[in-house]
Tab-separated table of all heavy atoms in Angstrom:
chain	number	residue	atom	x	y	z
P	12	PRO	N	65.577	48.190	128.553
P	12	PRO	CA	65.604	47.047	129.469
P	12	PRO	C	64.741	45.902	128.964
P	12	PRO	O	63.734	46.123	128.294
P	12	PRO	CB	65.053	47.625	130.772
P	12	PRO	CG	64.225	48.776	130.351
P	12	PRO	CD	64.878	49.326	129.115
P	13	SER	N	65.172	44.693	129.316
P	13	SER	CA	64.436	43.513	128.854
P	13	SER	C	63.089	43.375	129.551
P	13	SER	O	62.182	42.760	129.019
P	13	SER	CB	65.269	42.261	129.096
P	13	SER	OG	65.558	42.140	130.478
P	14	ALA	N	62.959	43.946	130.735
P	14	ALA	CA	61.713	43.800	131.485
P	14	ALA	C	60.775	44.981	131.297
P	14	ALA	O	59.872	45.180	132.076
P	14	ALA	CB	62.028	43.615	132.966
P	15	GLY	N	60.994	45.766	130.264
P	15	GLY	CA	60.073	46.869	129.980
P	15	GLY	C	60.602	48.201	130.418
P	15	GLY	O	61.255	48.886	129.665
P	16	GLY	N	60.360	48.597	131.626
P	16	GLY	CA	60.748	49.927	132.071
P	16	GLY	C	59.618	50.900	131.793
P	16	GLY	O	58.757	50.654	130.975
P	17	VAL	N	59.654	52.021	132.480
P	17	VAL	CA	58.582	52.996	132.366
P	17	VAL	C	58.988	54.090	131.392
P	17	VAL	O	59.972	54.788	131.599
P	17	VAL	CB	58.248	53.602	133.746
P	17	VAL	CG1	57.163	54.648	133.625
P	17	VAL	CG2	57.828	52.511	134.712
P	18	LEU	N	58.242	54.211	130.305
P	18	LEU	CA	58.457	55.248	129.295
P	18	LEU	C	57.358	56.294	129.393
P	18	LEU	O	56.200	55.961	129.650
P	18	LEU	CB	58.386	54.642	127.892
P	18	LEU	CG	59.627	54.017	127.336
P	18	LEU	CD1	59.307	53.314	126.029
P	18	LEU	CD2	60.712	55.034	127.122
P	19	HIS	N	57.727	57.553	129.160
P	19	HIS	CA	56.750	58.633	129.120
P	19	HIS	C	56.820	59.285	127.745
P	19	HIS	O	57.889	59.692	127.311
P	19	HIS	CB	57.039	59.680	130.195
P	19	HIS	CG	57.063	59.120	131.583
P	19	HIS	ND1	55.920	58.779	132.263
P	19	HIS	CD2	58.090	58.839	132.415
P	19	HIS	CE1	56.249	58.307	133.456
P	19	HIS	NE2	57.559	58.332	133.566
P	20	VAL	N	55.691	59.365	127.070
P	20	VAL	CA	55.581	60.091	125.805
P	20	VAL	C	54.473	61.118	126.019
P	20	VAL	O	53.309	60.757	126.159
P	20	VAL	CB	55.232	59.154	124.628
P	20	VAL	CG1	55.080	59.944	123.343
P	20	VAL	CG2	56.290	58.074	124.467
P	21	ASP	N	54.869	62.392	126.089
P	21	ASP	CA	53.919	63.454	126.384
P	21	ASP	C	53.851	64.435	125.233
P	21	ASP	O	54.877	64.963	124.795
P	21	ASP	CB	54.338	64.203	127.663
P	21	ASP	CG	54.407	63.275	128.866
P	21	ASP	OD1	53.454	62.495	129.050
P	21	ASP	OD2	55.405	63.327	129.601
P	22	LYS	N	52.637	64.703	124.770
P	22	LYS	CA	52.439	65.666	123.695
P	22	LYS	C	52.579	67.069	124.267
P	22	LYS	O	52.018	67.385	125.312
P	22	LYS	CB	51.060	65.480	123.071
P	22	LYS	CG	50.810	66.378	121.883
P	22	LYS	CD	49.476	66.059	121.248
P	22	LYS	CE	49.272	66.909	120.011
P	22	LYS	NZ	48.003	66.571	119.355
P	23	ARG	N	53.343	67.895	123.586
P	23	ARG	CA	53.504	69.295	123.965
P	23	ARG	C	52.602	70.129	123.071
P	23	ARG	O	52.503	69.879	121.868
P	23	ARG	CB	54.956	69.743	123.849
P	23	ARG	CG	55.895	68.964	124.746
P	23	ARG	CD	55.482	69.152	126.184
P	23	ARG	NE	56.416	68.463	127.070
P	23	ARG	CZ	56.073	67.992	128.245
P	23	ARG	NH1	54.850	68.119	128.675
P	23	ARG	NH2	56.954	67.395	129.007
P	24	THR	N	51.973	71.124	123.619
P	24	THR	CA	50.949	71.869	122.878
P	24	THR	C	51.511	72.873	121.889
P	24	THR	O	50.826	73.261	120.962
P	24	THR	CB	50.021	72.603	123.856
P	24	THR	OG1	50.822	73.460	124.685
P	24	THR	CG2	49.250	71.620	124.699
P	25	ALA	N	52.748	73.307	122.063
P	25	ALA	CA	53.288	74.338	121.169
P	25	ALA	C	53.511	73.769	119.771
P	25	ALA	O	54.095	72.706	119.609
P	25	ALA	CB	54.600	74.871	121.718
P	26	THR	N	53.031	74.467	118.769
P	26	THR	CA	53.303	74.112	117.376
P	26	THR	C	54.024	75.274	116.742
P	26	THR	O	53.722	76.429	117.001
P	26	THR	CB	52.015	73.796	116.595
P	26	THR	OG1	51.172	74.932	116.657
P	26	THR	CG2	51.315	72.579	117.139
P	27	SER	N	55.012	74.976	115.942
P	27	SER	CA	55.776	76.033	115.277
P	27	SER	C	56.330	75.501	113.980
P	27	SER	O	56.395	74.303	113.760
P	27	SER	CB	56.918	76.502	116.186
P	27	SER	OG	57.822	75.442	116.387
P	28	ALA	N	56.748	76.405	113.131
P	28	ALA	CA	57.355	76.015	111.866
P	28	ALA	C	58.851	75.848	112.068
P	28	ALA	O	59.476	76.595	112.805
P	28	ALA	CB	57.089	77.072	110.816
P	29	THR	N	59.419	74.836	111.443
P	29	THR	CA	60.859	74.622	111.489
P	29	THR	C	61.443	74.972	110.136
P	29	THR	O	60.712	75.049	109.150
P	29	THR	CB	61.171	73.143	111.839
P	29	THR	OG1	60.645	72.328	110.796
P	29	THR	CG2	60.574	72.740	113.174
P	30	PRO	N	62.756	75.171	110.045
P	30	PRO	CA	63.349	75.479	108.741
P	30	PRO	C	63.078	74.408	107.693
P	30	PRO	O	63.003	74.704	106.514
P	30	PRO	CB	64.838	75.581	109.054
P	30	PRO	CG	64.912	75.874	110.509
P	30	PRO	CD	63.712	75.241	111.125
P	31	ALA	N	62.912	73.166	108.126
P	31	ALA	CA	62.660	72.081	107.181
P	31	ALA	C	61.266	72.188	106.569
P	31	ALA	O	61.006	71.657	105.504
P	31	ALA	CB	62.826	70.737	107.865
P	32	ASP	N	60.374	72.883	107.255
P	32	ASP	CA	59.010	73.024	106.752
P	32	ASP	C	58.938	74.269	105.870
P	32	ASP	O	58.560	75.344	106.297
P	32	ASP	CB	58.009	73.155	107.909
P	32	ASP	CG	57.983	71.922	108.778
P	32	ASP	OD1	58.153	70.825	108.228
P	32	ASP	OD2	57.799	72.071	109.988
P	33	LYS	N	59.288	74.116	104.639
P	33	LYS	CA	59.336	75.253	103.716
P	33	LYS	C	57.951	75.863	103.520
P	33	LYS	O	57.799	77.049	103.328
P	33	LYS	CB	59.908	74.811	102.378
P	33	LYS	CG	61.278	74.175	102.505
P	33	LYS	CD	62.254	74.856	101.619
P	33	LYS	CE	63.594	74.199	101.558
P	33	LYS	NZ	64.293	73.906	102.696
P	34	ALA	N	56.910	75.029	103.587
P	34	ALA	CA	55.555	75.538	103.389
P	34	ALA	C	54.983	76.122	104.675
P	34	ALA	O	53.869	76.624	104.677
P	34	ALA	CB	54.658	74.412	102.882
P	35	GLY	N	55.719	76.053	105.769
P	35	GLY	CA	55.238	76.596	107.038
P	35	GLY	C	54.243	75.690	107.733
P	35	GLY	O	53.446	76.156	108.529
P	36	ASP	N	54.289	74.384	107.420
P	36	ASP	CA	53.387	73.452	108.082
P	36	ASP	C	53.695	73.423	109.566
P	36	ASP	O	54.818	73.623	109.987
P	36	ASP	CB	53.554	72.037	107.508
P	36	ASP	CG	53.110	71.943	106.063
P	36	ASP	OD1	52.270	72.765	105.666
P	36	ASP	OD2	53.628	71.069	105.348
P	37	SER	N	52.689	73.150	110.358
P	37	SER	CA	52.928	73.066	111.790
P	37	SER	C	53.512	71.701	112.144
P	37	SER	O	53.385	70.738	111.405
P	37	SER	CB	51.637	73.323	112.557
P	37	SER	OG	50.682	72.347	112.232
P	38	VAL	N	54.177	71.691	113.274
P	38	VAL	CA	54.856	70.496	113.748
P	38	VAL	C	54.315	70.172	115.128
P	38	VAL	O	54.116	71.064	115.945
P	38	VAL	CB	56.382	70.740	113.829
P	38	VAL	CG1	57.091	69.568	114.453
P	38	VAL	CG2	56.950	71.039	112.465
P	39	GLU	N	54.065	68.917	115.389
P	39	GLU	CA	53.658	68.507	116.722
P	39	GLU	C	54.880	67.981	117.451
P	39	GLU	O	55.698	67.276	116.877
P	39	GLU	CB	52.560	67.447	116.642
P	39	GLU	CG	51.275	68.011	116.101
P	39	GLU	CD	50.097	67.082	116.270
P	39	GLU	OE1	50.246	66.019	116.903
P	39	GLU	OE2	49.031	67.429	115.755
P	40	ARG	N	54.996	68.339	118.722
P	40	ARG	CA	56.161	67.956	119.512
P	40	ARG	C	55.745	66.982	120.613
P	40	ARG	O	54.713	67.156	121.243
P	40	ARG	CB	56.812	69.186	120.110
P	40	ARG	CG	57.320	70.149	119.074
P	40	ARG	CD	58.123	71.256	119.735
P	40	ARG	NE	58.459	72.315	118.809
P	40	ARG	CZ	59.379	72.244	117.864
P	40	ARG	NH1	60.053	71.146	117.713
P	40	ARG	NH2	59.618	73.266	117.082
P	41	PHE	N	56.614	65.975	120.800
P	41	PHE	CA	56.386	64.973	121.825
P	41	PHE	C	57.665	64.824	122.638
P	41	PHE	O	58.739	64.636	122.067
P	41	PHE	CB	56.000	63.626	121.196
P	41	PHE	CG	54.721	63.684	120.420
P	41	PHE	CD1	54.711	64.056	119.086
P	41	PHE	CD2	53.519	63.386	121.033
P	41	PHE	CE1	53.538	64.123	118.371
P	41	PHE	CE2	52.332	63.456	120.323
P	41	PHE	CZ	52.344	63.823	118.987
P	42	GLU	N	57.530	64.897	123.949
P	42	GLU	CA	58.691	64.728	124.821
P	42	GLU	C	58.745	63.286	125.294
P	42	GLU	O	57.763	62.754	125.813
P	42	GLU	CB	58.601	65.681	126.013
P	42	GLU	CG	59.862	65.661	126.862
P	42	GLU	CD	59.839	66.761	127.901
P	42	GLU	OE1	59.912	67.945	127.519
P	42	GLU	OE2	59.739	66.408	129.087
P	43	VAL	N	59.906	62.665	125.094
P	43	VAL	CA	60.107	61.274	125.476
P	43	VAL	C	61.084	61.242	126.639
P	43	VAL	O	62.175	61.827	126.568
P	43	VAL	CB	60.666	60.443	124.298
P	43	VAL	CG1	60.960	59.022	124.743
P	43	VAL	CG2	59.697	60.448	123.133
């Protein structure tokens, strides 16, 4: 919206490895 609107970006505490992370790095998740 042109007048802004209310957005929520919330960090989720769970960290896990994804298939793309070959080295097993942790990933941070954010819910929008």
